[in-house]
Amino acid sequence: MGSFLALLASLSTEELSVRLDRAKRLGVAYAIAGVLGLLALASLLTAAIVYIGQIYGPVTAALAIAGALIVLALIVVLTASLMNSSARRRRKAQRAARQSAMVGAAVPLVPVIVKSRILLGLTAAAGSAFLAARYFEMGPFRRDR
């Protein structure tokens, strides 16, 4: 049995090293491709400035390309902001649904809690801790999230 476990451990270690080597190779390849892509984009922008510069002048061409890039950057920022706000609304709805489910699951336990003094005391302590955490914005209730 021990040799079988040793064989399994060596296979998993070997597969892990193979996966790590593959990830390293892919990381280097993607980094090189990214740099080459940025160089191609810079060459494309230079060619566009030269071409537009022959028609309207070099200063006008550079300003037109810069303006177009600023507009594209603003579109990207606006899109990211909209995506973040929709994700925030989705998380808020999921949190509300989760809390509603927890309340729905706790309602049948109310008679049992009220009958038992120990459970009633524990529930009061937990509720007080919850309200204190909300009031002092501790834990998951911090506003910096």
Side-chain angles (χ1 to χ4, degrees):
M1 183 70 177
S3 62
F4 179 69
L5 290 177
L7 178 64
L8 282 178
S10 70
L11 286 175
S12 65
T13 305
E14 182 178 319
E15 184 174 327
L16 181 64
S17 67
V18 168
R19 285 182 183 258
L20 284 175
D21 289 342
R22 181 174 180 259
K24 288 177 188 175
R25 282 193 308 271
L26 283 176
V28 169
Y30 287 152
I32 291 171
V35 168
L36 291 174
L38 288 175
L39 289 173
L41 184 62
S43 298
L44 181 67
L45 288 173
T46 304
I49 290 174
V50 169
Y51 179 74
I52 296 172
Q54 291 174 351
I55 300 170
Y56 297 109
V59 175
T60 306
L63 288 175
I65 296 293
L69 290 175
I70 288 173
V71 168
L72 286 174
L74 288 174
I75 289 171
V76 167
V77 168
L78 180 65
T79 304
S81 174
L82 290 174
M83 290 171 62
N84 280 340
S85 66
S86 70
R88 192 176 306 122
R89 278 194 305 273
R90 195 176 321 116
R91 279 194 310 266
K92 190 175 181 180
Q94 287 173 347
R95 187 178 310 127
R98 207 172 29 245
Q99 286 177 347
S100 174
M102 286 175 31
V103 167
V107 167
L109 298 176
V110 170
V112 175
I113 292 172
V114 171
K115 287 180 183 177
S116 171
R117 291 194 185 271
I118 294 174
L119 287 177
L120 188 61
L122 288 174
T123 305
S128 299
F130 172 76
L131 291 175
R134 290 285 296 233
Y135 180 75
F136 294 111
E137 295 180 357
M138 298 167 31
F141 308 112
R142 291 190 311 235
R143 291 194 188 262
D144 59 348
R145 290 186 180 196

